[in-house]
Amino acid sequence: MKRKILLAIPVFIILLVVFYIIPLFFKSDKETYRFVSTWGSEGSQPGQFSGPIGVAIDKAGFIYVSDAENNRIQKFTSDGAFVAEWGSEGDELGQLSRPMHITFSPDGKLYVAEYLNDRIQIFDTEGNSLGAIGTSGDEPGQFDAPGGVTVDAQGNIYVADFYNHRVQKFSKEGKFLSLIGESGQVFSGKLHYPTDITIGNDGSVYVADAYNYRVQHFSIAGKFLRKWGGPLGLGIPGVWKGWFKVATGTAVDSAGNIYVADFYNHRIQKFSPKGDYITALGEAGNGEGQFDRPTDIAIDQNGRVYVVDFGNNRIQVFQPESRKR
């Protein structure tokens, strides 16, 4: 019996190399992006950042950034000119404690995942708090360090509940509706420290399953559809195209393509709605177009990509340049 098991291991490795490693060297990027601009530096003054995490764009084209260690939200023009800021450390409404990923609802409200306050706080575009949902705990409707939030076309709210290893769905009034995923590794539908979610153009749900090193895709009803990242999405980290070393942020463009912040690979990867690799942006460094652990992405109506460059305390902007044929 032991001999059969030992023989099976090399066969598995050979199959892995043949079907998942070698093909990576023949994958080509189908699109390219060019660096446009950057703004921000380390600090606590207006326009500076200390560990920025999330980015979102409102209907007027203003850019919002969650400045996590400064416990505030900053608002900018699309060119990076500082407009306003709000928030201070605390747990009262209007205060923040390590704001993480952020998103806009269809009716123009800003939803902020607060990692240390175990809640989702809602603001208007002027920074006025409109309320919050969630309390600390592991029961349905409670959170343990929520990292990501998104809102679908009907106003339903989805929250990546980091330490509870699940995604929770709420009505627009904040009533708990259902769970997506459960704690686990390797197997489909199991989550291991999910950090962010986004809604596809068809209403389906994409989850950055951070420490399973993959993205998981669920239907509107929460049924598992597919996963990708490494061989068969089994939770194996890697540096190759289509693999991840901690997936931290997600975004979708007008064509339904999915962008993923690949934290320790210092890049953004772009995929089709079904998870087929398209291209990647960036590499490790602090120069233009380089990243130090990117955490989030937002795409405007013109296809420009805004990236939160966490370790470099800045925002970088990219423009689609050409499509290879």
Side-chain angles (χ1 to χ4, degrees), residues 188-201:
S188 301
K190 303 291 186 179
L191 299 172
H192 196 49
Y193 301 106
T195 54
D196 196 23
I197 56 278
T198 195
I199 303 298
N201 292 351

Side-chain angles (χ1 to χ4, degrees), residues 72-139:
R72 65 184 178 184
I73 301 297
Q74 295 198 68
K75 179 178 179 179
F76 301 87
T77 68
S78 59
D79 295 324
F82 174 81
V83 175
E85 63 175 300
W86 65 83
S88 60
E89 187 172 6
D91 58 9
E92 300 294 327
L93 289 180
Q95 295 182 316
L96 297 163
S97 190
R98 193 167 176 77
M100 301 290 282
H101 290 283
I102 58 179
T103 194
F104 274 98
S105 61
D107 61 358
K109 297 172 184 174
L110 181 68
Y111 287 69
V112 180
E114 288 190 71
Y115 190 84
L116 296 180
N117 277 334
D118 292 326
R119 68 184 181 187
I120 304 299
Q121 191 169 179
I122 308 160
F123 295 90
D124 64 21
T125 56
E126 302 304 314
N128 300 302
S129 179
L130 305 176
I133 64 170
T135 58
S136 300
D138 57 10
E139 296 296 321

Side-chain angles (χ1 to χ4, degrees), residues 6-324:
L6 290 172
L7 287 172
I9 293 173
V11 170
F12 173 76
I13 293 173
I14 291 170
L15 291 174
L16 181 67
V17 171
V18 170
F19 290 102
Y20 291 99
I21 302 295
I22 292 177
L24 296 173
F25 295 99
F26 298 95
K27 276 188 177 181
S28 60
D29 291 353
K30 298 176 182 177
E31 298 177 1
T32 58
Y33 283 74
R34 64 178 176 85
F35 169 82
V36 175
S37 63
T38 184
W39 71 81
S41 60
E42 185 173 7
S44 58
Q45 296 300 309
Q48 295 183 319
F49 304 111
S50 181
I53 298 289
V55 60
I57 305 173
D58 71 12
K59 293 179 180 179
F62 289 101
I63 314 298
Y64 299 72
V65 181
S66 58
D67 190 6
E69 297 299 330
N70 284 325
N71 296 299
R72 65 184 178 184
I73 301 297
Q74 295 198 68
K75 179 178 179 179
F76 301 87
T77 68
S78 59
D79 295 324
F82 174 81
V83 175
E85 63 175 300
W86 65 83
S88 60
E89 187 172 6
D91 58 9
E92 300 294 327
L93 289 180
Q95 295 182 316
L96 297 163
S97 190
R98 193 167 176 77
M100 301 290 282
H101 290 283
I102 58 179
T103 194
F104 274 98
S105 61
D107 61 358
K109 297 172 184 174
L110 181 68
Y111 287 69
V112 180
E114 288 190 71
Y115 190 84
L116 296 180
N117 277 334
D118 292 326
R119 68 184 181 187
I120 304 299
Q121 191 169 179
I122 308 160
F123 295 90
D124 64 21
T125 56
E126 302 304 314
N128 300 302
S129 179
L130 305 176
I133 64 170
T135 58
S136 300
D138 57 10
E139 296 296 321
Q142 296 181 323
F143 304 124
D144 189 353
V149 60
T150 194
V151 183
D152 68 16
Q154 289 70 46
N156 297 310
I157 305 156
Y158 297 75
V159 180
D161 193 2
F162 189 71
Y163 282 114
N164 284 326
H165 308 287
R166 63 191 182 185
V167 170
Q168 298 196 65
K169 181 179 179 180
F170 299 82
S171 70
K172 61 183 178 181
E173 293 82 20
K175 179 183 177 181
F176 170 79
L177 297 176
S178 62
L179 297 175
I180 298 176
E182 59 183 1
S183 179
Q185 297 172 267
V186 181
F187 298 105
S188 301
K190 303 291 186 179
L191 299 172
H192 196 49
Y193 301 106
T195 54
D196 196 23
I197 56 278
T198 195
I199 303 298
N201 292 351
D202 61 354
S204 59
V205 182
Y206 294 87
V207 181
D209 190 7
Y211 287 91
N212 273 330
Y213 312 105
R214 64 190 180 188
V215 171
Q216 294 206 65
H217 187 195
F218 297 87
S219 71
I220 297 173
K223 180 182 177 181
F224 171 81
L225 297 175
R226 60 181 60 86
K227 61 184 185 293
W228 71 86
L232 301 174
L234 293 176
I236 302 173
V239 300
W240 300 284
K241 294 176 179 180
W243 294 46
F244 303 110
K245 288 177 71 177
V246 183
T248 52
T250 54
V252 63
D253 65 18
S254 59
N257 298 308
I258 308 302
Y259 300 70
V260 183
D262 190 4
F263 193 67
Y264 287 115
N265 278 329
H266 310 288
R267 66 187 177 188
I268 304 299
Q269 295 198 71
K270 180 179 179 180
F271 301 87
S272 76
K274 293 186 176 181
D276 299 316
Y277 174 83
I278 296 175
T279 194
L281 296 73
E283 60 182 5
N286 56 16
E288 293 181 349
Q290 297 179 324
F291 301 125
D292 181 0
R293 295 162 291 160
T295 52
D296 203 11
I297 321 102
I299 300 96
D300 71 12
Q301 60 184 0
N302 298 313
R304 281 194 169 189
V305 179
Y306 294 77
V307 179
V308 180
D309 191 2
F310 171 82
N312 286 321
N313 290 296
R314 64 186 180 182
I315 302 297
Q316 293 203 68
V317 188
F318 297 81
Q319 178 74 39
E321 190 169 51
S322 64
R323 182 182 296 273
K324 294 185 177 181

